[in-house]
Amino acid sequence: MSKTIDSGEILQGYQRQEAHILFSGVILKIIEEISDGFLIMDQNRDILFFNEVLLTKTGWRSMDIFTRKEEFLSYLDIKPGEETKKRIEIPDTDGESRFFQLNSFSVQSQEGGYTLISLVSVAAQDYTDPEGYRERYDLLFNNLQEAFFTTDLDGRILSVNPSFCDFFGYSLDLVPETMDQLYASSDSLEEKIDCLKNYTLCRDYETAVLCADGVLKRVLDTSWVNYDPEGHPEGFTTHLKDVSYLKNIESRLMISEKNFTTLFETILSSIVIVDPLGMILNMNSAAEKAYGYTWEEIFGEHFDAVFRTDKKSPSFSKLASIVDRNEGHYIDPEAVRKCKDGEIKYTYASYSAIKDATGELIAYSVVEKDLTERMNLEKKLKETIASLKKTQSAAIMGFAKLTEYRDKSTGKHLERIREYTRVLAAKLRDLPQYRDYITDDYLEDIYISAILHDVGKVGIEDQILLKNGPLSEEEFKKIREHVVLGGEALRDVERQMQQESFLTIGKEIAYYHHERWDGKGYPEGRKGQEIPLSARIVALVDVYDALTSRRPYKEAIAHEEAVEMIRQERGKHFDPQIVDIFVENQEVFLRIKRFVEFEENPASIHDLLQRSNGEEAKLDEAR
């Protein structure tokens, strides 16, 4: 089981107010991260706080809770200051019943009393009233180590527990008849009774009581109203805590710590408390269950030695520095943890700095939600998507090659086009105006789509498409129709998919890759940035590949000559910025060209290695 940090040592010498601030801060930090539904109510039944989990579990909205507060509180059936554990039923806004385990805790501060209510979902079949409640209550009442007694509404003592007799020095068959015989001050008793007659909790009221031997003792008096099964008040129960031997600050601190410890142990999320040097101070039961360690096994061990998986995972000192720079809070949505049995778990981890009232750091809390199952499912999903994309890419390449199969002279034109396109797009992303537009998804889509630029040529007659000599004006006009044929084909496929995909970019490229920056291209005569960026990129790489490739009707020209010709068309045929990026990275284009040449003719590898001077390795980096 987990152990409680010795708060007396941590806070020794601090004032009472500072102690309350520290523990209240710790509780609120943890409540924000837990997976239970939580609600805080003050002594006037005003709802001060509830977390998002409560809304999710109950099916109520924030507006519903505030506008129908009394209805919602009636389902909880909790009076201010009441500490209880029970099963309840709450209908959601559609009228469907939801069942919960309700735990309530009472916290006292200088501003007043607060009730913390925790809701944990339970199955409908588990919603039953506990059997033998009265017997268990009697057993608990008689074995409590502190004094309890009950009275009727007029203050007559009805029952006491054995600890009451030990505390006051009475025997069970000889106790005072009324509670005014117990209190040293009639004024303090009247104040208490006035409070109870308003049916409110009298919490930790500090007063003096008179024992059978005449000795006065200082106590913390907590009293509440008892109700009959019909809900009518029938008397009071009083709990007396002896604080005679304690300083006031020590007694208050113990009460706060008790509430914190109860909350700490009932939270379903795992919590580990670590000192500023990374040494483990405490962990709750949920953490023990999640990681397989008991508190005794890892107390005093370094967090990294217990939970860190490898050197690639961030060290606790690094995480702590991030917390400190981030105003005492940091969330890692994909933390990796090592369990005692060697199992690796993935968690949603929230790191928070715990400071005292002077602002001095005393510890860090690590609150975690186990996401291992979800992460494994996401991994399988990613693998499936990657496999589908690989299959999709292969299918698109096969579709695009329909044109190349008719014209054997183009070689590995499509392979070169997609590599050239990816290089230009990736380099353009470095420019401020494209940083947000050219995303990773865009790069992947344009890489696949670029090879569809001439897919419309499948609709052009062989005698025109494969003609060795010059084309007539009529034949050239016919060739130009391939952009419309390809664009419309891809548009129709895209419509059937009913969503944007790589085909959206493919359609743009097919339609507009023969447009010119100066507006003298086809099919629409668009100019400047009226032309989609994808088409402007492919326009340049298509021309470069055509210039540097051998065809039946022409010889290939040298890389340097092709670069100069494209430079001359800056601001005319091509987007000036794209030309500049191309010129800056022309050596990458040359390496891609040589690499693909080798793939077509593996026998030339020796010559390739000599010419590239090891540049094939750089190609991998460029790609």
Side-chain angles (χ1 to χ4, degrees):
M1 293 298 294
S2 62
K3 304 298 181 182
T4 303
I5 304 173
D6 190 343
S7 305
E9 293 181 7
I10 295 177
L11 300 175
Q12 188 173 7
Y14 292 167
Q15 298 300 315
R16 176 171 53 200
Q17 182 179 2
E18 294 172 332
H20 280 299
I21 291 173
L22 170 63
F23 281 96
S24 297
V26 171
I27 291 172
L28 288 177
K29 283 178 180 294
I30 293 175
I31 285 176
E32 292 171 356
E33 306 300 332
I34 64 175
S35 56
D36 297 353
F38 256 86
L39 179 144
I40 299 178
M41 176 177 68
D42 68 10
Q43 57 191 0
N44 297 319
R45 288 173 55 84
D46 287 330
I47 297 174
L48 304 181
F49 168 84
F50 51 82
N51 62 2
E52 288 292 331
V53 179
L54 181 134
L55 301 179
T56 303
K57 287 183 177 292
T58 61
W60 285 57
R61 300 176 301 170
S62 299
M63 180 178 67
D64 295 328
I65 290 179
F66 285 120
T67 57
R68 298 159 57 190
K69 182 188 74 171
E70 290 303 323
E71 178 186 351
F72 186 77
L73 291 180
S74 71
Y75 298 128
L76 302 183
D77 191 25
I78 290 293
K79 302 172 183 62
E82 182 179 354
E83 298 192 1
T84 187
K85 182 176 182 180
K86 62 182 179 180
R87 301 292 176 92
I88 64 168
E89 174 184 356
I90 301 178
D92 60 24
T93 52
D94 294 327
E96 295 293 329
S97 293
R98 301 190 184 190
F99 304 98
F100 303 90
Q101 172 71 38
L102 180 148
N103 297 330
S104 67
F105 315 98
S106 181
V107 176
Q108 186 74 12
S109 72
Q110 289 185 337
E111 290 74 24
Y114 302 97
T115 306
L116 278 65
I117 300 169
S118 163
L119 294 180
V120 180
S121 298
V122 296
Q125 61 267 27
D126 294 334
Y127 181 69
T128 56
D129 289 327
E131 297 179 1
Y133 171 79
R134 185 70 221 179
E135 290 78 3
R136 287 197 295 273
Y137 173 80
D138 290 339
L139 181 65
L140 176 65
F141 184 80
N142 291 322
N143 285 277
L144 289 170
Q145 298 302 307
E146 293 173 346
F148 279 78
F149 66 93
T150 64
T151 68
D152 62 16
L153 293 175
D154 295 323
R156 287 188 293 270
I157 296 176
L158 302 177
S159 65
V160 299
N161 69 342
S163 294
F164 172 93
C165 297
D166 294 340
F167 180 80
F168 282 94
Y170 294 106
S171 63
L172 281 172
D173 57 352
L174 185 63
V175 296
E177 295 182 355
T178 61
M179 63 179 173
D180 59 359
Q181 297 174 257
L182 302 176
Y183 289 84
S185 169
S186 59
D187 291 338
S188 65
L189 179 58
E190 289 175 2
E191 185 177 349
K192 168 187 169 178
I193 293 175
D194 288 340
C195 177
L196 291 173
K197 285 185 176 180
N198 290 322
Y199 306 118
T200 58
L201 176 75
C202 180
R203 173 69 168 163
D204 293 335
Y205 181 71
E206 190 169 334
T207 186
V209 293
L210 185 64
C211 296
D213 58 4
V215 174
L216 288 175
K217 289 185 178 180
R218 300 295 299 178
V219 296
L220 292 179
D221 181 322
T222 298
S223 301
W224 57 91
V225 181
N226 299 326
Y227 294 85
D228 63 21
E230 288 72 36
H232 302 122
E234 61 179 4
F236 311 112
T237 296
T238 296
H239 163 227
L240 299 178
K241 183 174 183 62
D242 186 5
V243 295
S244 303
Y245 64 98
L246 296 173
K247 297 180 181 178
N248 213 16
I249 183 174
E250 291 173 334
S251 62
R252 300 291 184 180
L253 188 55
M254 288 178 67
I255 294 169
S256 296
E257 185 175 358
K258 177 184 176 183
N259 286 308
F260 169 74
T261 302
T262 304
L263 181 63
F264 185 73
E265 287 301 331
T266 56
I267 291 173
L268 296 180
S269 298
S270 66
I271 305 173
V272 179
I273 306 297
V274 186
D275 74 11
L277 298 178
M279 310 306 288
I280 296 172
L281 298 175
N282 202 357
M283 65 191 299
N284 69 348
S285 299
E288 291 181 327
K289 182 178 179 181
Y291 301 118
Y293 293 102
T294 63
W295 175 84
E296 290 85 357
E297 288 179 291
I298 62 173
F299 172 73
E301 297 291 333
H302 197 279
F303 187 89
D304 291 348
V306 177
F307 296 114
R308 191 181 182 191
T309 55
D310 51 47
K311 292 184 178 180
K312 294 181 181 179
S313 300
S315 64
F316 189 83
S317 60
K318 182 176 181 180
L319 292 168
S321 65
I322 296 174
V323 173
D324 296 340
R325 292 196 305 269
N326 199 38
E327 298 181 353
H329 195 68
Y330 171 65
I331 290 177
D332 182 354
E334 295 184 359
V336 186
R337 295 286 181 258
K338 177 179 63 178
C339 300
K340 182 179 179 179
D341 61 4
E343 180 187 358
I344 301 299
K345 287 194 174 185
Y346 300 90
T347 71
Y348 179 93
S350 174
Y351 303 85
S352 299
I354 302 174
K355 299 181 179 181
D356 62 21
T358 67
E360 181 181 354
L361 176 70
I362 60 173
Y364 294 96
S365 69
V366 184
V367 181
E368 298 186 280
K369 181 73 174 177
D370 190 353
L371 302 179
T372 304
E373 183 177 356
R374 193 188 81 180
M375 295 293 289
N376 288 336
L377 290 174
E378 288 181 354
K379 183 180 179 181
K380 290 181 180 178
L381 179 60
K382 288 177 181 178
E383 291 172 352
T384 302
I385 291 174
S387 177
L388 289 173
K389 286 185 176 180
K390 187 176 181 180
T391 303
Q392 171 186 275
S393 180
I396 296 304
M397 175 60 80
F399 177 54
K401 277 187 173 288
L402 288 174
T403 303
E404 286 198 344
Y405 289 149
R406 297 174 61 200
D407 182 3
K408 304 294 185 180
S409 64
T410 56
K412 287 188 173 286
H413 169 66
L414 297 181
E415 285 83 349
R416 294 190 297 270
I417 286 293
R418 69 182 182 181
E419 297 298 338
Y420 295 153
T421 297
R422 179 156 58 181
V423 169
L424 271 187
K427 295 298 181 181
L428 280 170
R429 183 159 63 171
D430 294 336
L431 299 178
Q433 63 267 44
Y434 296 123
R435 194 165 294 144
D436 295 329
Y437 184 77
I438 301 179
T439 62
D440 289 342
D441 288 340
Y442 183 93
L443 283 175
E444 183 176 354
D445 287 347
I446 197 173
Y447 176 77
I448 297 175
S449 304
I451 61 177
L452 297 172
H453 65 291
D454 279 341
V455 72
K457 286 184 177 179
V458 298
I460 307 301
E461 297 89 338
D462 284 351
Q463 60 267 30
I464 298 176
L465 183 66
L466 305 178
K467 185 175 181 180
N468 289 333
L471 297 174
S472 66
E473 183 176 343
E474 189 62 27
E475 289 171 333
F476 185 65
K477 182 179 179 181
K478 196 71 176 176
I479 280 286
R480 290 169 62 167
E481 292 178 2
H482 81 278
V483 297
V484 176
L485 292 173
E488 290 181 348
L490 295 176
R491 179 198 61 195
D492 291 343
V493 176
E494 182 190 24
R495 283 176 178 171
Q496 292 183 35
M497 294 181 67
Q498 298 182 345
Q499 62 180 7
E500 285 195 359
S501 67
F502 68 93
L503 291 177
T504 304
I505 294 179
K507 176 189 64 179
E508 294 175 350
I509 294 171
Y511 266 128
Y512 303 117
H513 71 284
H514 281 294
E515 297 284 9
R516 292 171 52 102
W517 184 260
D518 58 12
K520 296 179 181 180
Y522 64 89
E524 297 178 7
R526 293 192 179 196
K527 62 180 180 179
Q529 296 193 3
E530 294 174 355
I531 308 167
L533 176 64
S534 58
R536 303 201 305 266
I537 293 172
V538 174
L540 187 148
V541 302
D542 190 32
V543 169
Y544 171 79
D545 191 67
L547 291 173
T548 56
S549 300
R550 184 182 179 279
R551 300 290 165 82
Y553 52 85
K554 76 171 190 69
E555 293 295 327
I557 68 173
H559 165 78
E560 293 76 15
E561 185 179 352
V563 171
E564 184 56 34
M565 291 178 67
I566 289 174
R567 195 202 308 267
Q568 293 298 323
E569 290 297 312
R570 183 183 188 275
K572 300 175 187 176
H573 193 149
F574 306 116
D575 181 336
Q577 284 188 323
I578 294 178
V579 172
D580 293 341
I581 294 295
F582 165 74
V583 173
E584 291 173 7
N585 296 277
Q586 60 173 289
E587 290 300 320
V588 179
F589 276 68
L590 182 58
R591 289 197 293 272
I592 292 172
K593 182 176 181 299
R594 290 175 176 174
F595 186 83
V596 177
E597 284 175 357
F598 163 66
E599 287 186 330
E600 289 184 281
N601 182 18
S604 64
I605 183 158
H606 183 266
D607 177 62
L608 173 65
L609 291 175
Q610 285 185 327
R611 286 188 292 135
S612 64
N613 192 25
E615 291 175 337
E616 71 283 351
K618 297 179 181 178
L619 173 60
D620 291 337
E621 179 180 351
R623 294 173 66 182

